[in-house]
Amino acid sequence: MYCTRKVTNHIYWVGGSDHRLSLFENLFPIPRGVAYNSYIILDEKTALVDTVDSSITRQFLENIEHVLDGRPLDYMIINHMEPDHCATIEELVYRYPNIKIVATAKAIQMIHQFYNFEEKDNTITVKENDTLSLGSHTLNFVTAPMVHWPEVMMTYESSEKILFSADAFGSFGALDGNLFNDEVNFESEWLDDARRYYSNIVGKYGVQVQAALKKAAKLEIQMICPLHGPVWRTNISWFIEKYDKWSRYEPEEHALVIFYGSIYGNTENAATVLASKLSEAGIKNIKLYDVSGTHVSYLVSEAWRCSHIVFASPTYNMNLYPPMESAIHDLKALNLQNRTVAVIDNGSWANAAGKAMRNMLAEMKNITLLEDQLSLVSSLKESQMEQLTQMANSIISSYFPQ
Ligand code: FEO
């Protein structure tokens, strides 16, 4: 049975959600599922804005049929050619043979890369500032290359002031009936997943997101319709500010997180003792994560949130403990910047973790590595408590500057 939502009088959401998929991109855990949004604009001409993932094809096709109510589909706007949004292009061409596909040149090239698509005279290549009239609605195309793929564009509908933003402003999480941001508790229930989505998938491309935000700032926006997660119709500037901060690699909060790896619990013990000292000194809401038991996408998201990060890791095979190496490698690959960090290392007979962590962190941009460090030999001893206190004091001075 179809399941659609009215976005405005002439625009309908025809997407769907997948609650079964466990790993988005076969990589990121999505315990809350994921939504694939798609929209239809009804005017003198009809236009579909993006398609969906193959997992919800049946639902999607029923939704389209219901909203069109016998009308033809004139245009299919492709803002993004990643398969979670374009899996049904061929099927739609078969069903609506007169449809015109509207996309950037790069996106049209990608259609042919992904699919055995027979090119008829059915594509319209658009570039920056091109427009397409549907009647009383006009689509304005705004390119957004490398947010987070090269072919990406956003589509701005100027009569209702709606930005169809592709992956930008999206989030992990299924839409359980509620479609709009003001129908859910976004800050308490969605923000962490929105940040995890942004930091892991788009995080590397902060410069390009900033360029897209500058273009968006010139538009009067009443509503943002992303490809994942809720549609934004209230408090839009609050979410744009989050994106602005995330893409400038500014910490979202003045907050401290400790990432530790621990083989037998000794490095964890030192991390916990440090956390207690920091708490006694007034640092609130400290979060401690075991890098072995926490999917790296959550660590990345927390690194995007927090201003201060402590890395605590044992040595393994005369190098860094692999889960910690993987975590720091990801943070580096995603361009994390502008953080204050401290390091605890451990080694029973050939300590190499500290040097390895310091070297990796030194290669990242604007990372302030605090000088006071703690180097353990197997376990934290009373004789090292002064050193740990000194390290805690150094973190506290940086956290609460005079
Ligand atoms: Fe949601 Fe980049 O695909």
Side-chain angles (χ1 to χ4, degrees):
M1 175 56 74
Y2 61 82
C3 181
T4 64
R5 288 282 312 263
K6 201 173 192 174
V7 177
T8 69
N9 281 339
H10 303 282
I11 300 179
Y12 290 81
W13 176 83
V14 290
S17 288
D18 187 346
H19 289 88
R20 295 183 180 187
L21 186 69
S22 55
L23 293 176
F24 184 78
E25 294 185 1
N26 215 4
L27 187 58
F28 304 109
I30 44 167
R32 298 173 57 246
V34 65
Y36 305 108
N37 297 333
S38 171
Y39 308 89
I40 285 186
I41 305 169
L42 298 178
D43 203 320
E44 289 165 27
K45 297 285 186 185
T46 61
L48 178 76
V49 183
D50 290 298
T51 81
V52 296
D53 186 80
S54 57
S55 59
I56 60 161
T57 301
R58 185 175 162 195
Q59 175 78 74
F60 176 60
L61 294 172
E62 284 186 35
N63 288 349
I64 291 176
E65 211 172 305
H66 170 68
V67 169
L68 287 176
D69 195 21
R71 293 189 61 184
L73 189 53
D74 297 306
Y75 297 109
M76 172 162 42
I77 316 298
I78 303 296
N79 284 314
H80 182 22
M81 258 308 291
E82 194 160 9
D84 56 331
H85 306 296
C86 61
T88 57
I89 290 178
E90 270 184 303
E91 179 65 28
L92 287 167
V93 171
Y94 288 132
R95 286 178 174 236
Y96 303 97
N98 296 321
I99 199 169
K100 299 273 188 208
I101 300 174
V102 181
T104 60
K106 190 83 186 162
I108 289 168
Q109 177 197 325
M110 284 184 174
I111 292 175
H112 295 286
Q113 289 173 205
F114 277 107
Y115 305 107
N116 296 317
F117 187 79
E118 191 188 332
E119 178 130 26
K120 295 180 277 178
D121 186 21
N122 60 356
T123 54
I124 299 175
T125 305
V126 291
K127 55 186 189 318
E128 184 79 1
N129 295 329
D130 281 355
T131 61
L132 175 68
S133 173
L134 304 177
S136 63
H137 292 79
T138 303
L139 304 181
N140 302 260
F141 303 109
V142 182
T143 58
M146 294 318 297
V147 181
H148 60 128
W149 276 28
E151 84 297 354
V152 172
M153 67 174 186
M154 303 187 286
T155 298
Y156 177 67
E157 198 295 296
S158 42
S159 73
E160 301 204 61
K161 302 182 177 24
I162 295 178
L163 182 67
F164 296 95
S165 60
D167 274 339
F169 305 106
S171 174
F172 293 135
L175 291 166
D176 298 335
N178 301 119
L179 175 64
F180 297 98
N181 69 297
D182 53 31
E183 296 176 337
V184 298
N185 296 320
F186 193 88
E187 191 162 2
S188 61
E189 293 175 23
W190 282 81
L191 179 59
D192 286 345
D193 259 344
R195 185 191 313 105
R196 191 162 65 92
Y197 175 85
Y198 174 83
S199 54
N200 283 277
I201 290 175
V202 192
K204 185 179 180 68
Y205 305 104
V207 170
Q208 291 84 352
V209 173
Q210 278 288 310
L213 287 176
K214 281 196 177 70
K215 290 183 187 179
K218 292 181 187 149
L219 306 170
E220 195 184 330
I221 297 172
Q222 299 280 352
M223 197 180 287
I224 295 178
C225 292
L227 288 175
H228 303 283
V231 167
W232 283 80
R233 65 180 177 187
T234 60
N235 221 7
I236 292 174
S237 59
W238 176 85
F239 199 37
I240 289 178
E241 273 170 34
K242 295 283 180 204
Y243 256 70
D244 184 41
K245 226 172 208 186
W246 294 339
S247 57
R248 283 188 290 111
Y249 301 98
E250 294 293 327
E252 185 183 329
E253 295 177 11
H254 196 65
L256 183 136
V257 66
I258 300 176
F259 298 150
Y260 71 87
S262 197
I263 303 166
Y264 296 108
N266 291 303
T267 311
E268 178 183 2
N269 170 251
T272 308
V273 174
L274 176 69
S276 297
K277 285 216 171 285
L278 297 175
S279 177
E280 279 171 1
I283 299 182
K284 293 185 169 41
N285 299 315
I286 297 166
K287 300 284 183 214
L288 206 67
Y289 291 93
D290 180 349
V291 294
S292 299
T294 311
H295 189 274
V296 69
S297 65
Y298 291 89
L299 304 177
V300 167
S301 179
E302 283 295 77
W304 244 258
R305 183 179 66 83
C306 295
S307 54
H308 289 67
I309 308 171
V310 177
F311 297 92
S313 177
T315 300
Y316 200 84
N317 278 338
M318 295 192 219
N319 208 321
L320 190 53
Y321 187 50
M324 182 60 82
E325 185 174 34
S326 161
I328 300 178
H329 175 269
D330 254 31
L331 296 175
K332 187 171 162 232
L334 291 166
N335 272 338
L336 182 78
Q337 302 168 25
N338 307 320
R339 299 300 189 268
T340 301
V341 302
V343 162
I344 298 174
D345 60 66
N346 196 354
S348 294
W349 43 273
N351 190 346
K355 189 175 173 204
M357 283 191 281
R358 284 191 293 276
N359 285 347
M360 289 177 87
L361 292 164
E363 289 169 4
M364 294 163 66
K365 207 170 164 187
N366 291 336
I367 298 291
T368 305
L369 177 62
L370 298 176
E371 274 179 26
D372 288 305
Q373 294 165 28
L374 179 62
S375 201
L376 306 173
V377 181
S378 301
S379 65
L380 179 62
K381 293 287 188 295
E382 188 64 41
S383 59
Q384 284 192 296
M385 284 306 285
E386 198 181 318
Q387 203 185 339
L388 184 139
T389 304
Q390 209 172 322
M391 181 186 185
N393 287 341
S394 164
I395 295 170
I396 291 156
S397 306
S398 148
Y399 197 88
F400 300 117
Q402 297 296 312

